[in-house]
Each structure stands twice: as structure tokens, then as C-alpha cells.
Amino acid sequence: MNLPFGAKLTGVGGAVPAQVVTNADLEKLVDTSDEWITTRTGIRERRIVTQGETATSLAIEAAKQAISYAGVDPSIIDLIIVATSTPDNLYPSTACMIQASIGASHSAAFDLEAACTGIIYALAVAQQFIGSGTYKTVLIIGVDVHSRFLNWEDRNTCVLFGDGAGALLLQASEEENNILATYLRADGTGGHLLQIPNLGTNYPHAGSTPPKAMHRFLHMNGRAVYGFAINAVPEAVRAACVKAGIAVEDIDFLVPHQANRRIINAAAERLGLRQEQIVCNVDQYGNTSAASIPLALRDGIMRGQIKPPATCVLVGFGGGLTWGSAIIRWTACNHKKEKA
Ligand code: UT7
């Protein structure tokens, strides 16, 4: 698809809470072990919010870092899109609260929900706005605070997730286009496999009793989602390559959703990608849902694994079910070499 204007990725940012929760800490809460968690998922620790920290506070920090990386004034931002499944409130949107806090005084703002694939959806929307010439500068943020919706007595889920935010700044460019292709998919027939039920209009309703605490938690059929993911990731990567007119061999780095190191390794193997091409931080942060891809991209750039120019495939999957991918070129010169 040819859009009149190119979009350049000029800034990356991220934020995680200071509180570290290790596998050993979780051994005190549920019947689990560091050995089980590391061998089955690759996760060693995760960051969990403390009192006063919210999706919005993490997202603001990530947004400021991306803006600072790009070296732009926030007043030039035309649009903020926030991908989240765990907003502070039903409204105002997380995007509006961020807009008010970062000095994006001329920006439109809205939230988008596609669970762990959210940032890929946000990237595709941002590309349309920039590519059509409607906007010049779009900030997209993936943020989730799943710790507020976890049953800390359920070992099947509580060991997997962490909280965090990741931000990407995109700007119109006459010289180059860094988003070579996006590929978005959804299959609502699998919605029940991964859900946080009963927090919307479904419940409570007139005449009902308030939801039991159990019904407010994240539920997942881990094995079924695993089976879906190991097929969805290679399929989405190949589809985006076809759309971009490149071969899988042309990819320098795989920046996947950080749910489980085994899923990532299986996908990389199927695609014929080498270990050093995988960008992974699931050991440090666990599954941060909508934040995981931009956080991994930021970390890969900040620690010098991804050096410009690099062709990266971002690939996500999760609740909905949703999945999708994007082929991007990282060409920005580092305005500021901040430590991740
Ligand atoms: O971002 C959203 C997308 N979500 C995902 O991508 C998650 C996809 N799924 C997975 O990553 C994996 O399925 C899990 C990590 C969730 C589970 O790994 P698994 O190898 O599929 O394990 P399993 O569900 O088949 O369970 C194996 C055993 C079970 O015991 P039995 O029935 O064999 O006796 C579980 O009860 O492991 C047990 N188990 C645990 N044991 C210790 C489950 N959770 C734990 C735990 N500690 N935390």
C-alpha cells in the first residue's frame, strides 16, 4: 500500500515500576518454584506497581522518555494513541490524562484496546494518520498494569505478568518511510481463552449482586493460548514480509511480544532466525502485555543490540484473540544515549 507521506520512528521510551518481584518472592505466595517458572517461561523477575503508581503514571514516564529521545517539543504532537487493557478509569481515557501531563497542548488523544497486540494496532493507526498527511507527529504508548487484575492465589497466571509502559514517537518524513508494512488479525471465537470478565457493562446489571472477586481476575487457558501463539507468530511475520516485499532473511531483528521465552524460541526456529537476532527481556519484566513490544524495542536499542540501520519485525499476540506484526526500519541517530 502506498501512502503519500512516510513515517519515521524518531523516539523510543519505556518505564517500569521500581518494585522487583522475583520468582523466589512468588514461592512464598503460591505453590510454585523458581525452577518451574524459569524453565517454562524464561521469567526470572517482574516489576509490580506500588501504591500511587498507575497505568497513567508509567505511561507518562515512557512518553517523556520517547519525546526526549527524539528531541522534540511536546507541543508539536498531533495525536496520542494509548494501547491498554488496564486503564485507570473507563473514562477519561489514559491518552487524555497523558496529554494533559506532558505538555502536548495541541494533541488529540484516544485509547485503543487490542490486549497484547495493542501497540501493533496503534502503529498501524498512526501510520494511516501520518501517511495520509492528516498528522505530522504521533505518539503511541503501550501500557498495562495487570497486577491489579491478577488472582495472587492462582499460580497459573500470577507468575506470568508484570507492569510496564513503552512509547514510540513517529514523525512524518519526506525522505524516508520506516514502517514498511503492518498486518492485523483478530479471531473473536477464541475470546474466552484469555479474559478479564465482568468489568464492563456485562456485569453488574440491574438486579444482580456485585461480582465476586474471582470474576474480576484475569483468566487464561495457558495451553490453548500457547498453541495459538506458536502458529500466529510465524504466520504474522511471514505475512508482513510479503506485504513489505522483503524476505524473512532480510530481517535483522525479531522483537516479539514477551509472553514466554519458549514461544519466542519456537517462532524464531520456525522462521530460521538466529538467537542473536531475538530481542528479549521477558526474564526481567515478565509479560507486560501492550507494553512488552515497545519496551523490548527500547531495551534492544539502548543496550546497543539494535544498531541503525536495522530492519525489525515487531510481532504481537494475545486477548481477543488478536495478533499482528509490523516491519519497521530503525534509522534514527541517537539524539541522547540514555541508559535503559
Ligand atoms: O500475553 C498473553 C498471551 N499469553 C501467553 O502467551 C501464555 C501462553 N501460555 C504459556 O506460556 C504456557 O502455557 C504457560 C507458561 C502458561 C504454562 O506452561 P505449560 O508448559 O503450558 O504448562 P501447563 O499449563 O501444561 O501445566 C503443566 C503443569 C500443570 O500441572 P499438572 O496438571 O501437569 O500436574 C500445572 O498445574 O504445571 C502446573 N503449573 C505450575 N506448576 C508450578 C501451572 N502453573 C504453575 C506454576 N508453578 N506457576
Side-chain angles (χ1 to χ4, degrees):
M1 171 196 45
N2 285 324
L3 290 165
F5 297 90
K8 182 169 177 176
L9 176 59
T10 56
V12 290
V16 289
Q19 177 179 236
V20 178
V21 175
T22 64
N23 292 347
D25 294 329
L26 294 177
E27 285 176 359
K28 294 173 201 141
L29 285 184
V30 288
D31 180 16
T32 191
S33 65
D34 175 48
E35 200 263 335
W36 190 96
I37 302 171
T38 47
T39 54
R40 299 286 180 131
T41 71
I43 301 166
R44 294 188 181 279
E45 58 187 42
R46 69 287 292 141
R47 303 298 186 93
I48 301 293
V49 292
T50 48
Q51 198 66 32
E53 284 179 309
T54 63
T56 302
S57 68
L58 292 176
I60 288 169
E61 210 183 313
K64 285 182 175 168
Q65 199 181 77
I67 292 164
S68 153
Y69 191 102
V72 301
D73 189 295
S75 65
I76 71 162
I77 296 171
D78 298 303
L79 173 65
I80 300 170
I81 307 172
V82 175
T84 186
S85 313
T86 56
D88 293 5
N89 310 291
L90 289 184
Y91 59 84
S93 68
T94 310
C96 280
M97 291 192 286
I98 295 164
Q99 184 266 339
S101 302
I102 63 170
S105 45
H106 298 99
S107 175
F110 66 88
D111 286 4
L112 163 162
E113 203 273 284
C116 304
T117 321
I119 201 74
I120 304 290
Y121 273 71
L123 189 62
V125 175
Q127 184 190 24
Q128 295 302 314
F129 275 114
I130 292 176
S132 63
T134 308
Y135 291 136
K136 285 192 160 43
T137 307
V138 179
L139 175 66
I140 64 171
I141 303 163
V143 58
D144 270 309
V145 175
H146 266 107
S147 63
R148 297 269 197 248
F149 301 97
L150 293 174
N151 176 1
W152 289 98
E153 294 175 0
D154 175 17
R155 69 175 185 176
N156 291 297
T157 51
C158 77
V159 304
L160 303 174
F161 292 87
D163 303 329
L168 306 176
L169 192 80
L170 297 149
Q171 294 185 263
S173 169
E174 286 176 12
E175 293 88 42
E176 55 183 303
N177 178 35
N178 289 167
I179 304 175
L180 307 190
T182 58
Y183 173 75
L184 305 180
R185 294 294 305 273
D187 177 9
T189 63
H192 60 286
L193 297 174
L194 179 50
Q195 55 178 341
I196 304 177
N198 295 335
L199 283 176
T201 55
N202 187 33
Y203 205 86
H205 47 77
S208 71
T209 49
K212 289 195 184 95
M214 270 305 291
H215 296 149
R216 300 173 58 89
F217 294 137
L218 180 149
H219 296 265
M220 179 171 69
N221 180 336
R223 211 173 284 189
V225 176
Y226 188 98
F228 150 71
I230 57 167
N231 292 318
V233 173
E235 186 252 318
V237 169
R238 290 198 180 100
C241 285
V242 169
K243 287 182 84 175
I246 65 168
V248 174
E249 293 73 40
D250 297 326
I251 293 170
D252 297 315
F253 294 101
L254 172 70
V255 189
H257 171 45
Q258 310 283 312
N260 185 324
R261 183 75 207 206
R262 282 158 60 214
I263 294 173
I264 295 171
N265 285 348
E269 196 174 315
R270 283 193 192 189
L271 291 162
L273 297 171
R274 301 181 308 281
Q275 282 292 315
E276 61 269 27
Q277 293 178 277
I278 301 172
V279 180
C280 187
N281 59 12
V282 73
D283 55 326
Q284 290 173 276
Y285 302 140
N287 180 347
T288 57
S289 198
S292 90
I293 294 171
L295 260 183
L297 182 65
R298 180 204 68 157
D299 285 4
I301 290 167
M302 298 294 195
R303 66 172 175 245
Q305 182 184 5
I306 301 175
K307 292 189 187 73
T311 302
C312 304
V313 59
L314 318 185
V315 56
F317 58 88
L321 297 172
T322 55
W323 68 106
S325 54
I327 310 276
I328 65 156
R329 291 275 296 159
W330 172 245
T331 61
C333 3
N334 299 5
H335 295 282
K336 288 189 179 177
K337 288 213 168 190
E338 292 152 328
K339 283 253 173 287

